[in-house]
Amino acid sequence: MELRQLRSLLAVVEEGRFALAARRLYLSPAAVTTHVAQLERELGVVLLERHPVLPTAAGRRLIRHARTMLDAEQVAIDEIADPGRGEDRVLRVGVMAHGSAEITPAIIDVFARARPRVRLSIVGLTFREHVTALLDHRVDVAFVRPAPQDDRLDSEVLTTESRIVVVSANSAIAEAGTVRVADVLDLPYVDLPPGTMPRFADFLYFNGLRNGERPRLAPDVALTPHEVLTSAALGRGAGSSLRSFERYYRWPGTACVPVSDAPAESSVLTVRRDDPNPDVRGFRSIAATLVRSVAEGLSPESVSRKRP
């Protein structure tokens, strides 16, 4: 099995026609056809239905691995093309709260094994560092939510989830089990310190659903999920997050209650726009590959165990 064969297979699947795949790869249609046929002979399975051109079940399984292998090739090219960076390279990874759930450690793990010369520094981010950690060059990539609205940054969606509110376990909201947006707008939400980006406040307080009304604020100021949970356990303030929050923060005296009609929100990987660092490009490439694999039915854990 050769990378050029995998590249031809992917191009055919993505273009839907052998001729278009050949044009994209600057090959003849006969060469692309030969590459796919060679793969099928070597593996002993049919990878593509021809009329119309669609991957078989075996083809879909191979495509997942092909994308990982081709992305790993690009990582290797970047590594070799930049030998002057030396042995002391550091990539600073910012993680707000639990990041993008299970896919966060999977991405970090695959990158660490793909680029063992790069030392990874994991930096916990507060709510106020939603944007500033990147703009101040304190981190190189950041797992945050929601996507920043800043022309100096680029973001890629990693997960999209339903919403929950975090409240006291003794509250009427907790007893309800599931609520609607109208039920949670008047909760006393934890306050945010000066300097917090408005986009994060909009996310926390469901501001897009308030028709311009300001949220009611609790006496407590929060910078981290732990401070939100403490306020909620005391019955003083509430918070909100993505559904995966409940898997990571089981806090005595609190409840995470689904908000059934709230629009879903995304967690993202954010970087500085046009950052020339090849390690940042490699990290983004690995993240994109894992997101595709998860979308195709693989768990983050199973993907991270496969060495790129």
Side-chain angles (χ1 to χ4, degrees), residues 246-266:
E246 184 175 16
R247 299 199 297 274
Y248 287 81
Y249 298 99
R250 296 187 179 277
W251 200 270
T254 68
C256 294
V257 182
V259 184
S260 62
D261 60 339
E265 273 282 5
S266 299

Side-chain angles (χ1 to χ4, degrees), residues 279-297:
D279 294 327
V280 170
R281 293 200 302 270
F283 197 92
R284 294 180 70 179
S285 177
I286 286 169
T289 298
L290 263 66
V291 168
R292 286 197 300 264
S293 297
V294 170
E296 292 167 358

Side-chain angles (χ1 to χ4, degrees), residues 47-262:
L47 298 172
L48 294 177
E49 301 288 352
R50 266 48 176 193
H51 302 290
V53 176
L54 292 170
T56 63
R60 290 192 296 272
R61 290 193 294 271
L62 179 58
I63 286 165
R64 290 197 295 262
H65 298 294
R67 284 176 172 147
T68 300
M69 293 166 71
L70 292 171
D71 281 340
E73 177 196 33
Q74 187 58 52
V75 168
I77 290 170
D78 286 343
E79 181 94 359
I80 293 166
D82 194 24
R85 288 174 61 83
E87 299 290 339
D88 298 324
R89 289 153 51 185
V90 178
L91 187 74
R92 299 160 300 172
V93 181
V95 183
M96 177 194 283
H98 63 294
S100 295
E102 289 82 0
I103 203 167
T104 300
I107 294 168
I108 293 170
D109 178 60
V110 173
F111 179 88
R113 289 184 287 123
R115 296 198 174 186
R117 292 172 55 195
V118 180
R119 182 170 64 85
L120 286 167
S121 174
I122 310 301
V123 182
L125 302 180
T126 68
F127 301 152
R128 191 163 52 190
E129 295 170 310
H130 178 243
V131 168
T132 57
L134 278 164
L135 296 181
D136 294 345
H137 288 255
R138 286 181 281 116
V139 299
D140 303 300
V141 299
F143 293 89
V144 300
R145 72 183 68 85
Q149 294 176 329
D150 192 304
D151 291 340
R152 295 167 291 181
L153 303 174
D154 277 333
S155 297
E156 298 171 68
V157 172
L158 300 182
T159 66
T160 300
E161 303 180 51
S162 57
R163 298 296 305 277
I164 56 102
V165 288
V166 184
V167 294
S168 166
N170 298 320
S171 67
I173 293 287
E175 292 177 2
T178 301
V179 292
R180 300 177 65 83
V181 169
D183 301 320
V184 303
L185 292 183
D186 198 43
L187 290 174
Y189 285 89
V190 292
D191 199 359
L192 293 169
T196 303
M197 292 295 106
R199 179 79 174 99
F200 184 77
D202 291 343
F203 165 80
L204 182 68
Y205 300 142
F206 299 97
N207 279 346
L209 306 173
R210 290 182 175 276
N211 295 320
E213 294 184 9
R214 296 173 61 86
R216 186 160 69 97
L217 297 178
D220 302 321
V221 177
L223 269 176
T224 67
H226 299 91
E227 291 165 340
V228 174
L229 289 159
T230 299
S231 183
L234 293 171
R236 292 164 58 92
S240 75
S241 190
L242 305 179
R243 186 65 186 264
S244 58
F245 183 94
E246 184 175 16
R247 299 199 297 274
Y248 287 81
Y249 298 99
R250 296 187 179 277
W251 200 270
T254 68
C256 294
V257 182
V259 184
S260 62
D261 60 339

Side-chain angles (χ1 to χ4, degrees), residues 32-47:
V32 172
T33 300
T34 298
H35 289 165
V36 174
Q38 288 170 339
L39 278 174
E40 291 180 323
R41 284 197 302 272
E42 181 179 344
L43 297 173
V45 295
V46 175
L47 298 172

